[in-house]
Amino acid sequence: MIISEDGLSVYPVKVPTKYNLRSFNFYLLEEAGSLTLIDAGIDSEECWECFMRTMNENGYTLHDLTRIIVTHNHEDHVGLINRISSIKEIPLYAHQESIHRLKRDKAFFLLRIEFFEQLYQEMGCGAAGEQQVQKLREAVRKNEKNRIQADIVTFADGDTIAGMQVIETPGHSSDHVVFLHEQKKWLFAGDHLISHISSNALVEPDRNGKRQLTLVEYVDSLKKCLQLDAEIVYPGHGEFIHNHKQLITKRLHRINEKAERILRLIRSGISTANQLAYAYYKDKYESQFSLVMSEIIGHLDYLETRHKVQKELKKGVWHYYVQPVKGEEGSYESNN
């Protein structure tokens, strides 16, 4: 498929996957002889072959690439960068907050292990948390080979690159951005918006080891994008989006619904994040432990910033309680 208007063309690269992501999407954008790669898929032969086939079928080679720009640092968005840059040196553009992750900064990843070790202890995760921390230790060694070799040129909110405005949208990751082509009303959204599934606002430390309030940031980023004028949203997974404002409203509503359900669990006497995770996600607790804990912790942070819950540290574990509202039970959504 080619989307072409007034000398500007988008060549989507969509690599199917059996997982619920449905596909890994990345894009070639061509204008006035300039060819930009937006994200770079996952590091697999299937992805590489699909990328090269898209290039060749449209009369391009790797030597025609002008630049690579990425929405965020996750492995399924930067997977082919090293392979491309081993053939041709191409400028790579990313957010400043991507660099320590893309370059696999050892000090940061050791700090990250310490962060999750303390976090899972404080959330009452016990043996399940210890097992996840061990997986993180193994991943640091395993993923060293994925260090991005190319030099990185940084961009920031409001910058223009390849004729598009850079808009910071932290939440799914701290470095996440979207690219808006204002004239064409095209939005390249990475994982900020996906039509068939909600994006995880993954709990992570900042470079100093402090927990980022990722779900709070994600909600703010959704509201920011609610104001954008976009006719087509090109996501990192699944189908194109033609009704992004309706989708964002739906996502915000579901975040509030989930927060209400978690509040009900807390009112019932469940007080630690680990207990809440098990009660809410019985079937997924073991198989998707890190994602489940991230969801629960993110919503607890979200509730806490809205003064719906308070917490108390008991024997090294945080316990959450519903913040009483004077004179009424209170509707969670009424404050949003």
Side-chain angles (χ1 to χ4, degrees), residues 113-140:
I113 290 171
E114 293 175 0
F115 166 84
F116 278 107
E117 188 170 29
Q118 179 178 345
L119 179 68
Y120 291 147
Q121 288 172 358
E122 292 180 345
M123 295 301 166
C125 297
E130 293 171 5
Q131 291 173 7
Q132 182 61 30
V133 169
Q134 182 57 36
K135 290 179 182 178
L136 291 176
R137 290 194 178 99
E138 295 168 359
V140 168

Side-chain angles (χ1 to χ4, degrees), residues 1-4 9-15 23-30 36-38 50-51 53-55 57-58 188 232 234-235 238-240:
M1 178 193 298
I2 303 172
I3 299 94
S4 184
S9 299
V10 178
Y11 304 90
V13 184
K14 298 185 71 172
V15 184
S23 63
F24 301 110
N25 302 346
F26 50 115
Y27 304 90
L28 288 162
L29 176 69
E30 191 275 330
T36 300
L37 179 63
I38 304 172
C50 189
F51 170 53
R53 184 166 58 251
T54 301
M55 294 275 282
E57 287 177 351
N58 292 286
F188 294 88
I232 303 178
Y234 298 100
E239 300 302 318
F240 301 159

Side-chain angles (χ1 to χ4, degrees), residues 162-205:
M164 298 180 292
Q165 180 185 355
V166 176
I167 301 171
E168 292 176 349
T169 51
H172 177 66
S173 66
S174 60
D175 62 321
H176 202 292
V177 302
V178 298
F179 303 109
L180 175 67
H181 196 293
E182 291 186 278
Q183 181 185 359
K184 299 302 179 188
K185 300 182 180 180
W186 293 347
L187 185 69
F188 294 88
D191 284 352
H192 183 59
L193 286 174
I194 302 172
S195 62
H196 65 285
I197 55 173
S198 59
S199 298
N200 299 100
L202 300 170
V203 170
E204 285 283 343

Side-chain angles (χ1 to χ4, degrees), residues 58-314:
N58 292 286
Y60 299 115
T61 72
L62 287 180
H63 295 282
D64 295 311
L65 279 179
T66 305
R67 66 184 67 84
I68 303 171
I69 62 177
V70 294
T71 58
H72 62 300
N73 71 85
H74 291 171
E75 63 180 357
D76 55 334
H77 293 259
V78 302
L80 298 182
I81 290 175
N82 281 342
R83 191 161 178 176
I84 293 170
S85 61
S86 71
I87 298 171
K88 181 194 176 184
E89 289 188 13
I90 300 170
L92 170 62
Y93 295 79
H95 194 278
Q96 175 68 34
E97 289 298 317
S98 299
I99 294 178
H100 54 289
R101 293 178 182 273
L102 293 176
K103 291 296 185 179
R104 307 301 300 177
D105 180 83
K106 188 174 182 179
F108 170 75
F109 281 96
L110 292 176
L111 177 149
R112 185 173 180 265
I113 290 171
E114 293 175 0
F115 166 84
F116 278 107
E117 188 170 29
Q118 179 178 345
L119 179 68
Y120 291 147
Q121 288 172 358
E122 292 180 345
M123 295 301 166
C125 297
E130 293 171 5
Q131 291 173 7
Q132 182 61 30
V133 169
Q134 182 57 36
K135 290 179 182 178
L136 291 176
R137 290 194 178 99
E138 295 168 359
V140 168
R141 294 189 292 270
K142 178 182 176 183
N143 292 331
E144 177 62 30
K145 68 180 187 301
N146 296 328
R147 179 182 183 274
I148 296 299
Q149 302 300 319
D151 292 334
I152 300 172
V153 182
T154 61
F155 51 61
D157 193 52
D159 286 351
T160 299
I161 185 167
M164 298 180 292
Q165 180 185 355
V166 176
I167 301 171
E168 292 176 349
T169 51
H172 177 66
S173 66
S174 60
D175 62 321
H176 202 292
V177 302
V178 298
F179 303 109
L180 175 67
H181 196 293
E182 291 186 278
Q183 181 185 359
K184 299 302 179 188
K185 300 182 180 180
W186 293 347
L187 185 69
F188 294 88
D191 284 352
H192 183 59
L193 286 174
I194 302 172
S195 62
H196 65 285
I197 55 173
S198 59
S199 298
N200 299 100
L202 300 170
V203 170
E204 285 283 343
D206 64 17
R207 280 183 282 182
N208 297 314
K210 181 180 178 182
R211 181 159 97 242
Q212 297 172 294
L213 304 182
T214 50
L215 186 60
V216 176
E217 292 176 339
Y218 182 56
V219 167
D220 290 342
S221 295
L222 285 174
K223 291 177 179 178
K224 181 191 290 188
C225 287
L226 197 57
Q227 308 305 315
L228 299 181
D229 188 10
E231 293 182 354
I232 303 178
V233 174
Y234 298 100
H237 307 279
E239 300 302 318
F240 301 159
I241 299 165
H242 299 276
N243 55 347
H244 82 286
K245 293 186 179 183
Q246 180 181 338
L247 179 62
I248 289 172
T249 301
K250 178 180 177 182
R251 293 282 177 261
L252 291 170
H253 179 71
R254 288 189 174 178
I255 288 168
N256 289 326
E257 281 187 330
K258 182 175 287 188
E260 281 286 359
R261 292 196 292 271
I262 291 171
L263 273 177
R264 288 196 290 271
L265 288 173
I266 296 172
R267 287 194 185 100
S268 76
I270 302 174
S271 64
T272 72
N274 189 64
Q275 292 168 342
L276 288 164
Y278 187 77
Y280 198 102
Y281 291 104
K282 290 185 179 69
D283 298 335
K284 297 179 180 179
Y285 176 83
E286 290 187 10
S287 63
Q288 300 183 40
F289 174 81
S290 63
L291 293 178
V292 163
M293 289 308 304
S294 187
E295 277 286 292
I296 293 297
I297 294 168
H299 278 79
L300 288 171
D301 288 341
Y302 185 54
L303 285 164
E304 189 177 4
T305 60
R306 282 151 179 75
H307 308 293
K308 294 293 183 176
V309 298
Q310 56 189 356
K311 64 185 179 185
E312 181 180 357
L313 194 63
K314 296 181 179 180

